[in-house]
Amino acid sequence: LAATCGFVGEQAPNFALRRRKYLVSSANLRSAGLHVKTSDCDYTYLISSDNKQHRLRRRVADGTFLYTHIRRFVNEDGSTLDLKSNIDRTRYLSMLSYQDPERMLIRVVRETFVYKNRQFCLNHVLGMAPQIPSSATRRSPRGIGNVMLLTMYCEDDIDVDLPPPAALVIEKEVTGLVEYSLYSFSKAEEG
């Protein structure tokens, strides 16, 4: 798998890493002395005919746009694997025509930082905007406010040194809870 990923220009997956996710009630990373890199991301979910989750990500950082097509596979053991391919703007705009009318656009402000030699990502899910109006029914965005989710990767279920309360206040771990996924947040409601 590593050789194939290298050939096509993708990073080989590290199956030993596990993503952990935490619900955060408040954050003040910069005043706690952490160096933070910020980017804005829009996620658009696409119609899928292969029972895989397909989404587009448009990331803006330092005035540069990066477009990515993400395909999520669910393995037999229930774990997930994301295959990411960078695409150009023309392809991105073309693929937008396959937006899933049952899903809404997700907007995220992402703050990435390092604490005790481990990379963390604080996602501010700011809200959703309606996508293409469905001809059958009118969908409305769900107002969820500002949900903050902290993610990080670790080798196993070891106790991880999380940033101190001066940087952020963690309410609880939400690893594996579907209701805290961007996919779940994107579900449109009947309007």
Side-chain angles (χ1 to χ4, degrees):
L1 181 59
T4 302
C5 288
F7 180 76
V8 297
E10 295 289 334
Q11 182 177 358
N14 182 347
F15 295 108
L17 291 180
R18 179 174 180 252
R19 184 174 69 160
R20 309 236 339 237
K21 189 185 295 187
Y22 301 87
L23 181 63
V24 175
S25 59
S26 66
N28 206 351
L29 302 175
R30 285 184 177 83
S31 67
L34 297 171
H35 175 72
V36 177
K37 176 99 170 142
T38 303
S39 61
D40 294 316
C41 301
D42 289 340
Y43 291 91
T44 303
Y45 288 87
L46 306 176
I47 296 171
S48 173
S49 61
D50 61 4
N51 294 323
K52 295 178 180 78
Q53 186 186 113
H54 291 259
R55 65 184 173 203
L56 297 174
R57 177 180 65 205
R58 183 185 72 147
R59 178 183 290 168
V60 183
D62 299 326
T64 302
F65 289 80
L66 178 64
Y67 304 96
T68 308
H69 178 209
I70 303 167
R71 293 169 299 275
R72 176 164 285 176
F73 300 86
V74 178
N75 298 318
E76 290 177 6
D77 65 358
S79 63
T80 60
L81 173 67
D82 287 347
L83 181 60
K84 300 176 182 179
S85 303
N86 290 336
I87 57 177
D88 64 20
R89 182 177 188 273
T90 303
R91 177 98 172 121
Y92 172 81
L93 293 173
S94 172
M95 291 178 78
L96 283 176
S97 66
Y98 297 100
Q99 292 177 8
D100 185 341
E102 302 295 318
R103 304 259 163 214
M104 295 177 288
L105 176 75
I106 298 291
R107 175 142 302 140
V108 175
V109 174
R110 176 169 290 154
E111 294 181 295
T112 306
F113 62 96
V114 174
Y115 177 74
K116 292 195 175 181
N117 296 322
R118 187 172 302 277
Q119 183 172 328
F120 290 86
C121 186
L122 181 63
N123 292 311
H124 299 262
V125 183
L126 299 175
M128 288 72 61
Q131 294 197 56
I132 298 173
S134 171
S135 59
T137 59
R138 186 84 174 152
R139 304 283 176 178
S140 64
R142 292 185 300 147
I144 60 166
N146 181 5
V147 174
M148 290 185 284
L149 298 169
L150 180 72
T151 59
M152 50 83 62
Y153 289 86
C154 60
E155 292 73 23
D156 51 29
D157 289 336
I158 61 171
D159 287 332
V160 176
D161 284 332
L162 295 170
L168 48 82
V169 176
I170 295 174
E171 287 186 32
K172 62 182 177 178
E173 184 168 2
V174 295
T175 301
L177 299 178
V178 175
E179 60 267 27
Y180 291 99
S181 69
L182 295 181
Y183 186 74
S184 178
F185 290 148
S186 74
K187 183 68 176 157
E189 291 183 335
E190 295 294 332

